[in-house]
Amino acid sequence: MVLKQWLQRGSRLLQQGMPGYCAFCMASALPGQGWCAACLKELPWNLHACQQCGDPVAHKTPLCGHCLTEPPAYTATQAGLLYQGAIKQLVHDFKFHASPRAGTLLVELMLLTPPAIQGDALLSVPMTTAHARTRGFNQSHWLAEQLGKKCDMPLVNARRIKDSPSQRTLNRRQRAANLAGAFAFEGPLPAHIVIVDDVVTTGSTGHALAQAALDAGASQVDIWAAARTPLGKD
Ligand SMILES: [Zn+2]
Ligand SMILES: [Zn+2]
């Protein structure tokens, strides 16, 4: 979808209560928005992305090589921005400094680039207990709550039943094995679930969570994230 259409879809939701200065350069913001026109244009938009995993692809290619050969359990990924530059800083402020202003901006940016199909319910990514202890704030859950309110969508919750060791040093296949059986659901799930997260990196967490949701009765699982880390750059 082209940027202009995104902006038209999102603009109605942005007319409410943002401060008057651009979050990125402190110039005057566009009326009712958190940014100025120049900065909005300069943001690292993820304009040509694989429909399934959101990884940047060449223009007019619907799917990336990974999704063609080894498709993940989720059907579509909507990640309107790339995890670079100003967006990296914004996510950092949100995630590690729990900045509500940064979080609100991420929500507004996500609403500019909504998924093509809304789905029945939003699902956040549960944290490991180790993470919960050190950070005490689940950024995925916070985003899902805000988006649920704005889009009038219910939330469903997964539990983490296995604490996987750090994913950092593992390759794609190892990450998937590491996360298998890590999530569980209580009660029946609606048919179409949308996983909400701040940044999609390898997609292996999304894959494991989507597989768990499908096993628990969902018929389609998509991902809606603020930003995508291009593969190989995490
Ligand atoms: Zn600006
Ligand atoms: Zn892909």
Side-chain angles (χ1 to χ4, degrees):
M1 194 182 298
V2 297
L3 180 58
K4 200 171 149 209
Q5 282 172 294
W6 281 351
L7 294 177
Q8 282 165 351
R9 278 174 79 170
S11 63
R12 199 171 32 84
L13 293 152
L14 288 169
Q15 302 307 314
Q16 321 143 4
M18 296 297 285
Y21 297 99
C22 173
F24 304 106
C25 74
M26 293 304 285
S28 294
L30 290 165
Q33 301 189 10
W35 38 71
C36 71
C39 288
L40 185 65
K41 192 162 168 272
E42 287 306 309
L43 288 179
W45 298 102
N46 187 12
L47 291 176
H48 305 296
C50 171
Q51 288 167 6
Q52 194 160 3
C53 74
D55 199 32
V57 289
H59 190 32
K60 288 186 178 156
T61 311
L63 294 174
C64 74
H66 276 127
C67 292
L68 283 171
T69 54
E70 234 183 313
Y74 49 86
T75 305
T77 297
Q78 177 59 36
L81 292 150
L82 293 172
Y83 185 57
Q84 289 171 354
I87 295 304
K88 206 166 182 173
Q89 186 59 49
L90 197 60
V91 168
H92 186 95
D93 286 350
F94 172 53
K95 205 165 180 163
F96 300 108
H97 304 297
S99 157
R101 166 102 165 117
T104 302
L105 281 164
L106 285 176
V107 167
E108 301 297 341
L109 288 168
M110 289 175 81
L111 290 167
L112 285 181
T113 55
I117 305 168
Q118 191 177 22
D120 300 318
L122 299 175
L123 164 66
S124 56
V125 182
M127 283 197 293
T128 61
T129 31
H131 261 136
R133 229 176 286 126
T134 52
R135 204 188 302 150
F137 156 70
N138 181 342
Q139 75 278 359
S140 162
H141 189 71
W142 192 92
L143 291 174
E145 276 188 329
Q146 302 298 315
L147 291 168
K149 276 183 222 156
K150 299 252 184 190
C151 304
D152 196 21
M153 283 176 78
L155 266 57
V156 290
N157 289 304
R159 278 183 308 122
R160 195 132 193 164
I161 52 172
K162 184 179 113 185
D163 262 352
S164 315
S166 173
Q167 299 278 91
R168 242 170 250 277
T169 57
L170 306 179
N171 68 29
R172 192 182 170 87
R173 211 173 280 274
Q174 288 167 329
R175 283 175 196 237
N178 190 29
L179 282 162
F183 303 106
F185 292 90
E186 276 153 25
L189 290 177
H192 190 169
I193 303 285
V194 179
I195 298 171
V196 171
D197 210 352
D198 54 347
V199 182
V200 174
T201 302
T202 59
S204 34
T205 305
H207 170 74
L209 190 53
Q211 191 59 58
L214 293 171
D215 292 346
S219 55
Q220 180 174 337
V221 184
D222 295 335
I223 296 179
W224 185 11
R228 180 71 159 95
T229 306
L231 279 179
K233 289 185 187 167
D234 61 317

